[in-house]
Structure formats: structure tokens, C-alpha cells
Amino acid sequence: MKSFEEFTVKEIVDQIEDGILLGIPADYSGVPMTFTKELINKGVKNLKLYCLPLTTIQGDMLIGSGCVSEIETAAVTLGEFGLAPRFSQAVENGKILIKDSTCPALHAQLQATEKSVPFMPLRGVVGSDVQKNRKDWQIISNPMKSSGVENEPILLLPAVQLDVLVFHASYADRNGNIQIGRRRELATLAHASKKVFVTVEEIIDTDFFENELSAATCLPALYIDGISVVKNGAWPCKLPGVYESDNDEIKKYSIAAKTQPSFNEYMKQFLKS
Amino acid sequence: MKSFEEFTVKEIVDQIEDGILLGIPADYSGVPMTFTKELINKGVKNLKLYCLPLTTIQGDMLIGSGCVSEIETAAVTLGEFGLAPRFSQAVENGKILIKDSTCPALHAQLQATEKSVPFMPLRGVVGSDVQKNRKDWQIISNPMKSSGVENEPILLLPAVQLDVLVFHASYADRNGNIQIGRRRELATLAHASKKVFVTVEEIIDTDFFENELSAATCLPALYIDGISVVKNGAWPCKLPGVYESDNDEIKKYSIAAKTQPSFNEYMKQFLKS
Amino acid sequence: MNLNIKREELLISQLANLLKNDNHVAVGAASPIPGAAALLAKEEAKNFNKRLRVTILHSNKYNNFTDGARELFDCAAQGRIDTFFLGGIQIDGNANINLVGTGEYPNVDKRFPGSFGSPLMYFVVPQIILFREEHSPRTLVKNVDFISAPGVSDDNIYRPGGPKYLLTNRALFKFNKKQKKFSLFKLNMNETLDSIIELTGFDFDVDKDLSEMDLPDKTRIETLRKCIAPMVSEFYPEFANRIWGV
Amino acid sequence: MNLNIKREELLISQLANLLKNDNHVAVGAASPIPGAAALLAKEEAKNFNKRLRVTILHSNKYNNFTDGARELFDCAAQGRIDTFFLGGIQIDGNANINLVGTGEYPNVDKRFPGSFGSPLMYFVVPQIILFREEHSPRTLVKNVDFISAPGVSDDNIYRPGGPKYLLTNRALFKFNKKQKKFSLFKLNMNETLDSIIELTGFDFDVDKDLSEMDLPDKTRIETLRKCIAPMVSEFYPEFANRIWGV
């Protein structure tokens, strides 16, 4: 007996409404590319992307396809294939709102929600233009009498709760537990999301919790609202430990995405594939 | 080649100076009882114990042996064998300073140090006598304009850095990585400690990092200052997944510890064992 | 029908009745009766094709967490736990609970273990069930000597959770948040309103539907003895052996 | 002795010289030269019976972390990382770095990826080495267009870390925190003080010991080519192939 909801990718996409705040995993955490493709096919609009802490082609494709109105991130990049062209152009032209952030702040805002506290303090960052451009961040004088120097400015970051998180992973067990290994940022993301959907390479007929060590590699089923089996669901991105990224495809994308027309051409093919 | 410091238990004990703030793991996290025995033999004084979040016989023995001046904890208990008698009497007689806390606050204070922020906010707790008796805690009105109701009181907990953490674990690998499985509170403790020593059942000739899944079960060697091999190093406490607690011995202790003279008798035997 | 229902079985049954609408029930350490009740409710939920998740911290098997000891508290703060159980060496009429000691703090007359996670859990878990077997003027008091966690809080304090019920050997109370007062709801066999008044140190209201505790029916008792008892014996062996001889 | 030292090897050697006193060096993504330098320093430290720990985020093998993507930042904040490398599309004379874009923010003329972890790392890691191969007036500017992370901070700001060196294709600078100014320290072959002045957009001091970059000796070059190159090829295959044909 499977004790969790098994969905099709389309059923997961059906849960993504226009305008929601969507959690975006980094390239090393399992990028749900098949899901992203279906999301673009659906024509979703005005997504707000929250990247932990960055995105590669997933974000660039969603932006180029006109699905995104806002992105909060530490970086958008195609890595060794250079800049993310649709992202860069959308920012340069003011087509999307960019909330420039930094990795530790993106983690901390989710950790605040993880603990249900209204904010998290962070050191560093103060005095940067990253900080100065974030009107939702506040600086207070360190209120803790027992610590710090006089008038030490401390940055307070607001708790951020995601509407939906979708990521791709290698395995789920029969109870819906997801093997994430060292990618514990996925746990932080899940804890801070109202809904969590996961695409996996395979559901295996075992119980990861039967053994303390394999239990330690899991994100527990209690945080998961639905699972869909999708072979190669991260392609052309890598799925760490399972397959490498398809560099030929990403290179092809990086060239096509340089202009909107050639991006559109590329996507026509990609969405059918 | 071993790439870490291997110590004797005595060499670890030599690092514990009078008056330090010592991290104490819960009964499910690996209680370093052989170390504790040697620590009592050394006659260390004025220890401050920081329990995450509670202690059982380790704390009770240290208190009964006159090693402790202060304890910060959510509970001291012998579990199914009742109250911790040396702790209870020491508090009733004012022999030790008790900083009553609660589990999430003990975690959060270490997480503040983990991030090198001066404080962490916590919800709940406000209005309890736990909160009212903690002069090192502060309540401020929620400064985050975007969240909460008007004049919402928020508890701020100071960052706490431990001087030394000692715990017992099943295995270290040849590079000094420690297998902790799901006991991730040990990572929080280690991140927040100036020095970390671990007693282990065994050092095994493998590299936990060779495999992503076994890597996920580890506390990395970079946080560890020394390791000592001690068979049954948690006895009479349990080592989860390896051996259960010796309930006969703990029961014997719980009876003997009811008065100081019979505790002293018990300890004479115990310290020789 | 005489099923020779034991006191513990009756209490388990009362608690299981309170878990019917839950998705996730968590049980702390040293709580065999709440633990058994949660597992019973989980088993019975299957009949309605409903999944009830049970986290029992004392057990490896029923521990759903992988983020260390803090995950219970984070998970509760996130609103992902519907019901949690708390006890108290003293509980007062405002549902304040004391897990620390009797007498004047800090050098109390009798020191108990401490507050554990109650100062947070009491604030964030929607349904807190107070469970204290001993029902006497020394456990149910007018005012606790130390407030480990307050029963009610001011409106400007973040508090999605709080006390909903108090179960003892003798009675089940509901807690009325507005009136900050318990209301007697169910009586154990052989108890009367007068006996409860006499043995309770605080004032309480009486529910208009005050009645005897419902006895578990034969199906429930069979589920409990055949299906739940062996599960309980895995993490509370002494308790399971004493009650069910397993 | 002509070892045919490549430009990249010379830069790796300069960086390795700066890591001799470290216990833990961390290297971010897409940094093959700093990565190779860290591994070289680690190898050479063994000769002095010293352990240098190297964390290379881009690699699974040299990734010492198990607490997810935030551990690098937490670990650095704890003071457990001695040296980290940062780049910049622009770097100015006050050691401010810009990883975001040129022109007026937010709708810059040319948008780059973003600030990554620099706004924290620059504050907490004691030795930050700025590394930018291109040495030109468009990379080394008078004032950056956007401060991803400032080079210096006021005294009331918690800042145990900050910039110590800046290495380019042409020169190595030291950063003087008090004067908030770089000081030219080493020149690459074929460079002169004048050529550097011409190609640098900001004012800088000249160190009294200004000299040419030390060439790596034969032992170091052999270590690099025989021992380090295969390691690097594991996580920067393209780079290792281009430089060493491995």
C-alpha cells in the first residue's frame, strides 16, 4: 500500500496558480525540469521565484517564457556557459522585479519561517548596496545588552513562507519519504513551504526509516503533498549522484537564449521534447 | 595514515579546566560516561553544564560529585527511574545555580552562535516563569514592521558558545568524521563549541565521504579536535542503534543517589569500575 | 458484555476520541497512554480511509523526524502538529502548568525535572491535551507554584495553540479559553460531581452535557489488545507487559 | 632552468604562497585557479607535518560539509574558514566589489549573475583574496557601480574578516585596511609600475618591497603537474585539460 499521493506532473502543475511564490532549488539540489517544461506549457503568469540561493536554466527559461514577474536570488547564471541571457535582459529592460539577495540571507529568511519567528538577524551585509536596496529588510541597533559593541547595526530579515516548492530527487520510498542525502537545504525549503511536490526518478519498495542511517538521508513524508515519477526529470540539469548535466544541451540553450526570437525557437522544440 | 588527533580519555579530560561551559548531550545523542567518570576522578570544579536539552545520570553524577556550579537545561531526570536525586537536592539546597530553560531555547541559543549572530528570536515562552526568571533573556516589541500584531512581544535569546563539547558515538572513519545519523543536534552543538572531543566505540578504516549517502550521516572532522576509542563508552546509558541502556545499573544508581552518603558509596565503586 | 476494561484502556479510549480530526499527533517521552491512544486513533482512521500521522519521540520507528532534536519544536511552530500532550506536577484552574517544583522558586521544596518543551509547545500546537493521572487537590491546584507554561496569553501574543482538554483518572475537562476556565465534561465510573469538586483544587464549570466516560466498544478493545498492544510493547515494554501481558 | 611555466601556473603559485598559515581554505564555484592553489598548499603543508583542510564547493570529494548549502556560510561565520576567494566584475580602490552589473541599478546596462555569498563572506573570513584575471581600467575602477560587498566598514560593525590581497594577471596587491587602499606588491614578468598605473582605474600605493612575482621552483611545478593536476581534473576537467592536458 502506498501511503502518499501519487500525481502526474500535470496534476502538480495544476497546483501552481498565477502569482504564487515558488521555491526554486539550486542546480546541485535537484532541478525539476520536466515540471518546469509543463509549467511553461500551461502558460502560468506572474510567478515570484524564491531561489535557494540561485537558479540556472530553470529560472532563465521561466523568465524568457514570460512566466515571472519577480525573482529573489543571490545569482542567476548558466555557470561555465556564461550569463543567463533571458534573466539579464529582463532585468536590464525592467521587465521583472529583481530582489537581489545573498545566499545566507535566503537561507535565514526560510529558517525564520521554519521556527515561526517573524525575523532572523544576520551579520555582515550591512553597508552593501544589496542591503540598501532591500526595503523589506530592516537595520536595528543590536538590542542584546550582553553582546556586541555600542550601536552595532544588525540586519533583520523577514520570515518568508513559500506557497509551493517543487524539486526533483532520485528516490522516494513506499511511504513517500524522499532521499536527499547531504542536500539538507531541501529540508529548509520544505519546512518553509505551504505545499511541497517532488518529482523522483523512482519510487522504491523500501522504508528508509527502517534503518537509522538511511533515515538520516531523508526528507520525511510529512512535509510532502505529492510525488510524481519522472525519469530524467532534471534533464538537462544534473541530478547529483545519478546523472551529470547534459552540457551539449545547456550550451545549445545558452547560445539560443541570447536573443528572444532564437530563445522562442529553441523553446518550441524544447517544450515538445 | 590517520589524519586526526587520537587521544586517551585522560588526555581529553586534561582539556577540561575548572569553570568551563561544557556541552552535555541528551540521553539519545550519545552520553560520554567513561569520560564523565574520568572527569569526576580528576576532581574538576565549578563546571557550567549546558544541556541540549536535558541530562540524565551524567548531569546527576557530576552534580553529586561536586563538580558543578551551574546548569542550564530543560530537564534533569532519570526517566522511568524517576527524579534525578542529586540534581533535585542541589537545587533545593541552593548548592547550584539553575538556569531553567526550554528545549527550543537551548537549540536556538546554539543556532545563534552557529550563525555568529548576537541573538535569536523565539515565539512562545513569554509570560512563563521560565522566561521571567531569565535575566539574560530580553523581550522586545517585534521590530519587524511587516509582521505580527501591534506591540507583539518577542523573546530574544543570547548566542551561547560552549567552551568544550564531549559526546560518545559509534564510529569515526579514518579521517576523523563521526557518524551521527539522525542525531543532528550534535552538529548544532559542535558548530557552537570552541573545542569538540568525541569518544567512539570504534574507528573504522573507511571514508564516510566516499559515498554521498554515508557522508550525509556524518559530523565532519573539521569540527573535531580529538577522538578517543572507548568500548562501551556510554555505559550504563544507551548508545542508540548499538546498545540499550543498562537498566539494572541505572536503577541501582537511582536508589543509591537518594542520599548523599549512599551516592558516595555508589560512586566509590563506580569510579573504580 | 463485560470486557474487563482496565483503567488504562479507558483512558486510552478517551484520548483516542479526541484525535479523530487530526492529521498529525505527536507524543513526548514517557507517555505510554497518549502513545497508545495516538496509535489506536491512527489504526481506526484507516477505516475511514484517512491517514493519521503519529510521531512518538521515544520510539525510533514512530519518529518521523530527521533534523535532530529541534525538529519537533520547529515542526510544531510551523503548525504541522495538531495535537500534543503535556503533563504537570501541578495544573491550575487557568490551565497553567508546573513541571519544575513546589514551593518558592528557585530553591523549591521539591524539585522536579523541568519544563522540557512545554513553554513553546503550549503556544503553538492547536490542541494541547493535558494528561495527569493523579486527580487530587495536590495536583489540581488553585494556583501553580511555578508557571512552566501559561494556560492563556494576552491578545498581542502569538498563540495559535493552547489547552483544549484535561484528562485525569477521574474526569475529562474541556478548557474554555474565553472564560479561562475548565468545564467538567465526562466522569469516570464511580465518580460524581461532588467527588470531583472535592478532589479538585480549582473552580470549574460543569458542561451542560456532563456524562459518564464512554466505554470503548468491543471492536475498539480488540483493536487495542490485538493490534496496538504489540506496537506499544516495542517502545514502552514495561507498560505493555503490565497492562496486556505482551 | 626553463620550466615553461604557464600563466595559470604562476598565478596558482602566487595564491599558494598566501595560504601557508591557514588551517582551512574554502573555494567557491567556478574557481579552478584558487582551487588548484588550495590543493597545492595542502600538499606542500604535509612536508611541514601540517594539515591544511580544503573545501571546494564545486566538488563532492573536497566538500567537507553535511549540513546543506548554508553550512559554508555558517562555518565561515563561526571563524572556521581562514581564506576564501572572491571575484568581481568591478573592483575599486576601496576594495568594494561588484558582482551585479554596470550602470545604474536596478535596470543596469549589463546585468551579471549576482552577489552570491559575498555580502557575508567578505565580513567574516579573515583573509579574503580578491582574484580577477583581467587587469584593466574596466575591471579595476575608481568606484564600483554597485557594492555587492564593501571593502571596509565602520568600527561599530562586526567585521572580523575582509580583503587582504588582490591578484590579477599582471600584479599582486596588498590591501591596507587603515588607509583603505591597495598597495602594489608583486609584478608579473613584463609589467612595470607604469604599465600597472596605466591599466588600473584606482589609485594605489607602492609597497617598499615591490618586486617581481616569485617563480615557482622545480619541486613546486612538479607537485603541481604530477599530483595536483589530476585532482583538479576531477572537478574542473576542462581547465585541467587545457592547462595540463590531463
Side-chain angles (χ1 to χ4, degrees), chain A residues 3 114 184 191 218 223, chain C residues 51 66-67 71 78 80 158:
Chain A
S3 64
E114 189 172 59
R184 299 199 60 80
H191 296 167
C218 286
Y223 299 100
Chain C
R51 181 177 55 230
T66 62
D67 205 23
E71 191 173 3
Q78 291 156 32
R80 296 182 200 270
Y158 179 83

Side-chain angles (χ1 to χ4, degrees), chain D:
Chain D
M1 181 178 77
N2 183 350
L3 296 163
N4 282 317
I5 293 168
K6 299 199 172 185
R7 188 179 60 83
E8 289 83 357
E9 290 175 326
L10 181 65
L11 296 178
I12 290 168
S13 181
Q14 302 312 304
L15 291 177
N17 288 342
L18 306 177
L19 308 178
K20 285 187 172 158
N21 298 317
D22 288 350
N23 293 307
H24 188 183
V25 175
V27 181
S31 309
I33 289 174
L39 291 174
L40 177 60
K42 177 191 170 87
E43 197 61 30
E44 291 180 343
K46 289 181 189 165
N47 300 332
F48 304 94
N49 209 12
K50 202 181 158 261
R51 181 177 56 229
L52 170 62
R53 212 176 284 281
V54 174
T55 295
I56 296 177
L57 290 180
H58 202 69
S59 135
N60 271 343
K61 186 163 173 189
Y62 297 98
N63 178 345
N64 288 303
F65 296 138
T66 63
D67 205 23
R70 73 163 177 259
E71 191 173 2
L72 169 69
F73 308 102
D74 289 350
C75 189
Q78 290 155 33
R80 296 182 199 269
I81 295 175
D82 301 306
T83 294
F84 191 71
F85 301 89
L86 287 174
I89 54 170
Q90 296 175 328
I91 297 169
D92 72 20
N94 293 323
N96 297 314
I97 62 174
N98 174 7
L99 294 145
V100 158
T102 53
E104 199 175 333
Y105 188 84
N107 305 130
V108 289
D109 302 332
K110 186 158 178 56
R111 172 73 202 201
F112 286 82
S115 303
F116 292 92
S118 66
L120 179 73
M121 298 299 272
Y122 214 23
F123 282 72
V124 296
V125 176
Q127 172 166 277
I128 293 283
I129 300 176
L130 299 174
F131 176 61
R132 173 74 211 227
E133 291 185 72
E134 181 183 336
H135 188 142
S136 77
R138 72 168 204 153
T139 56
L140 305 187
V141 300
K142 195 163 182 65
N143 292 111
V144 295
D145 293 346
F146 182 94
I147 300 176
S148 284
V152 290
S153 299
D154 292 342
D155 284 346
N156 60 337
I157 289 176
Y158 179 84
R159 185 153 195 181
K164 289 285 180 294
Y165 293 97
L166 163 62
L167 179 68
T168 73
N169 269 340
R170 299 177 190 274
L172 176 65
F173 297 86
K174 279 184 187 170
F175 186 72
N176 189 318
K177 191 175 153 183
K178 266 193 193 152
Q179 273 122 49
K180 305 182 187 181
K181 209 169 173 187
F182 285 105
S183 158
L184 181 63
F185 183 49
K186 296 275 179 192
L187 293 169
N188 204 337
M189 293 169 286
N190 308 321
E191 299 297 337
T192 62
L193 177 54
D194 282 347
S195 74
I196 297 299
I197 289 175
E198 196 187 322
L199 291 165
T200 306
F202 55 72
D203 290 340
F204 56 85
D205 292 332
V206 178
D207 197 275
K208 63 177 174 19
D209 299 324
L210 176 65
S211 60
E212 275 214 347
M213 288 181 181
D214 311 305
L215 293 181
D217 65 15
K218 191 160 170 254
T219 313
R220 176 174 273 188
I221 281 293
E222 276 179 10
T223 305
L224 188 54
R225 292 176 183 171
K226 287 192 185 145
C227 169
I228 306 302
M231 296 182 189
V232 173
S233 84
E234 205 191 302
F235 46 92
Y236 293 119
E238 215 172 311
F239 176 84
N241 185 43
R242 180 163 59 81
I243 308 303
W244 297 298
V246 293

Side-chain angles (χ1 to χ4, degrees), chain A residues 3-5 113-116 175 184 190-194 209 212 215-216 218-223, chain C residues 24 46 51 53 55 60-61 63-68 70-71 73-75 77-78 80 120 124 158:
Chain A
S3 64
F4 60 88
E5 304 293 330
T113 299
E114 189 172 59
K115 290 201 173 308
S116 190
N175 297 317
R184 299 199 60 80
H191 296 167
S193 296
K194 289 181 202 157
F209 276 76
E212 276 297 293
C218 286
L219 175 64
L222 79 95
Y223 299 100
Chain C
H24 188 184
K46 289 181 189 164
R51 181 177 55 230
R53 212 176 283 282
T55 295
N60 270 344
K61 186 164 175 188
N63 177 345
N64 287 303
F65 296 137
T66 62
D67 205 23
R70 73 163 177 259
E71 191 173 3
F73 307 102
D74 289 351
C75 189
Q78 291 156 32
R80 296 182 200 270
L120 178 73
V124 296
Y158 179 83

Side-chain angles (χ1 to χ4, degrees), chain A residues 163-219:
Chain A
D163 291 312
V164 179
L165 165 69
V166 185
F167 67 92
H168 186 70
S170 46
Y171 302 115
D173 72 7
R174 75 169 90 90
N175 297 317
N177 301 298
I178 310 290
Q179 193 158 65
I180 60 167
R182 283 202 268 175
R183 305 277 35 120
R184 299 199 60 80
E185 63 277 2
L186 289 168
T188 314
L189 278 164
H191 296 167
S193 296
K194 289 181 202 157
K195 295 272 178 196
V196 180
F197 302 98
V198 186
T199 62
V200 298
E201 292 291 314
E202 201 179 334
I203 295 169
I204 52 182
D205 188 19
T206 185
D207 176 1
F208 292 140
F209 276 76
E210 263 175 13
N211 168 306
E212 276 297 293
L213 293 180
S214 73
T217 68
C218 286
L219 175 64

